[in-house]
Amino acid sequence: MTAGAGRVVARLGTAAGRLRHRRAPLALVVGGLSSAGNFLLAVTVTRLETVGGVGRFAVAFSFYILVSGLVRAMVTDTVLAAAAGAAPAARRATLVGVAAGALVLAAGAATGSRYLLLAGAALPGLVLYDHAKAVALGVGAPRRALRQEGAWAALTLLAVLPGLLRLVGPETVFAGWAVGGALLGLVAAGRRGYGLLPGWSAGRAETRTALGFGAQFLVTTGSAQLALTAMAGVAGTAVVGALSAGRTILGPVNLVVSTASTLILPHLARTRDATTAVRTRAAVRLVLLVTAGALPMALAVALLPDGVGAALLGANWALAQGLLPLLAVESLLAVPAAVGFAGLRIERASGRAVVVGVVLGVLRVPVVVAGAVLFGAGGAAAALVVMALLSALAWGRSYQLLLRRRAAERPLVAQPA
């Protein structure tokens, strides 16, 4: 290699390093904008709706989260791993969105829920939006994702303001949010040359992999959304509405926890070559630091004055107030679970992670639904705390046992005489 070529390679390496360093803060800003927009939407709908209406909104929003996550697991993550193929993959994302949207539309027609009808109609565009944003953040141009998320935040604000002024109803506010996001998804996909028509241009091996990851997502992460839907069907939307009102007010706490969770992985990775004791202490320190950062906000929310709570949630504050201490504990218990899960990812223990996730996912739905049926919203909140505690113990203990096993398998180094 010539000296000139060497300098070019060095400059390219430096530019790539700068891009990676810039990508992380931009991803945090995009995540913050997304969470702020969703929080504003949830607060507005909760202020305007009855508790049953809040439950119907929560179920519709949970389907959006569920289908977006399913598309991420089945389609988008493959693009991010290969750093290629975003355009043909968009057709697969659209196909999943159309199929899921049809099912949600059918559910909306059967139950008379306008929220489900709106969500079902918007799902194809919304999953394209999420696919385009994730690709831009992961392997494309992060600033595109920032502009895209900023535009949706602005449209959400335009939809919310008339609702806060009591000029339009909550379903109109939700329609503005959903249609705005769907249109932005179509525009973003079209400008980047993505296929907009649904299709599945993948081989058998890739299809089997996609179906496997999709099933894993539904049983593990998606089980929380499935539990919410099952709870609405069995215990009624009023129970779901009370829980959702409480979770809405805890939005800033969950934002702190989720933002910190993105930083856990690189911090744990720095101790990968250290001893088991050092790595265990690092994990414990992370749990304590993140919990200490979220605890004051969780306490403030749990002890929120009536005037502030009523201003945010309207008449639904009375139903949500008693659930806040339990829901705050659930949010804080997500920290040790996130640290344990990140540790398994660093060790590439995917099989162990799948087993733990499946066991917890299978337990979550019947436990939460049983709590809701037997004791109402308070029972459901208590069941969520039980599941959060089990998750924290399961992920943390699994990581600890894995570290011990890896240490035992490590070959002994002969010491000099």
Side-chain angles (χ1 to χ4, degrees):
M1 180 183 292
T2 65
R7 284 194 295 271
V8 171
V9 172
R11 288 174 183 170
L12 288 174
T14 302
R18 288 175 181 169
L19 181 60
R20 284 193 296 270
H21 287 301
R22 291 172 184 171
R23 200 180 298 276
L26 282 174
L28 292 177
V29 174
V30 170
L33 276 174
S34 176
S35 297
N38 292 340
F39 176 70
L40 190 58
L41 170 71
V43 166
T44 304
V45 172
T46 305
R47 273 185 60 85
L48 299 175
E49 270 286 14
T50 63
V51 65
V54 174
R56 290 188 291 275
F57 158 75
V59 171
F61 193 83
S62 75
F63 273 112
Y64 156 67
I65 298 294
L66 181 66
V67 177
S68 297
L70 184 63
V71 169
R72 181 74 66 93
M74 294 181 65
V75 180
T76 310
D77 284 349
T78 303
V79 176
L80 297 178
R91 296 188 63 200
R92 299 198 292 273
T94 305
L95 179 62
V96 177
V98 168
L103 293 176
V104 174
L105 280 171
T111 60
S113 170
R114 292 183 182 177
Y115 289 109
L116 285 176
L117 291 172
L118 289 167
L123 267 177
L126 290 176
V127 298
L128 268 178
Y129 178 98
D130 185 74
H131 177 75
K133 181 178 74 172
V135 170
L137 281 174
V139 296
R143 293 187 184 279
R144 287 182 179 178
L146 182 60
R147 289 193 295 268
Q148 182 179 324
E149 196 63 47
W152 198 10
L155 289 178
T156 300
L157 185 61
L158 289 176
V160 160
L161 283 177
L164 293 176
L165 295 174
R166 304 279 179 172
L167 299 177
V168 298
E171 292 171 345
T172 304
V173 173
F174 182 74
W177 171 86
V179 173
L183 290 177
L184 284 173
L186 294 172
V187 170
R191 291 186 64 182
R192 295 170 201 179
Y194 294 172
L196 299 180
L197 295 177
W200 192 270
S201 54
R204 290 184 179 180
E206 189 175 354
T207 299
R208 284 196 299 268
T209 302
L211 292 175
F213 280 128
Q216 178 185 339
F217 169 81
L218 290 175
V219 176
T220 55
T221 308
S223 65
Q225 309 304 325
L226 295 175
L228 190 69
T229 304
M231 195 191 316
V234 176
T237 56
V239 172
V240 177
L243 285 173
S244 299
R247 283 179 161 173
T248 295
I249 210 78
L250 279 162
V253 179
N254 294 326
L255 176 60
V256 169
V257 173
S258 62
T259 302
S261 297
T262 62
L263 306 176
I264 288 172
L265 200 64
H267 279 283
L268 279 183
R270 293 173 189 170
T271 64
R272 185 171 185 177
D273 297 326
T275 64
T276 299
V278 170
R279 299 183 70 182
T280 302
R281 285 197 297 270
V284 172
R285 277 198 303 270
L286 276 173
V287 171
L288 294 177
L289 284 172
V290 177
T291 303
L295 182 60
M297 189 178 294
L299 288 174
V301 170
L303 302 174
L304 204 64
D306 286 341
V308 177
L312 289 171
L313 301 184
N316 290 313
W317 165 248
L319 299 171
Q321 186 177 20
L323 305 177
L324 286 178
L326 289 171
L327 295 177
V329 171
E330 181 204 9
S331 296
L332 294 176
L333 285 172
V335 178
V339 171
F341 177 72
L344 294 185
R345 284 191 62 186
I346 290 170
E347 290 297 314
R348 298 178 181 176
S350 57
R352 182 183 289 257
V354 168
V355 170
V356 174
V358 167
V359 170
L360 292 172
V362 169
L363 280 174
R364 182 173 287 110
V365 175
V367 169
V368 174
V369 170
V373 171
L374 294 175
F375 303 105
L384 289 171
V385 173
V386 170
M387 288 308 308
L389 179 60
L390 288 176
S391 297
L393 293 174
W395 290 114
R397 183 60 175 167
S398 184
Y399 180 48
Q400 184 184 38
L401 291 175
L402 181 62
L403 288 180
R404 290 179 181 176
R405 196 187 80 180
R406 295 282 167 88
E409 293 173 350
R410 190 175 302 168
L412 296 175
V413 178
Q415 300 296 324

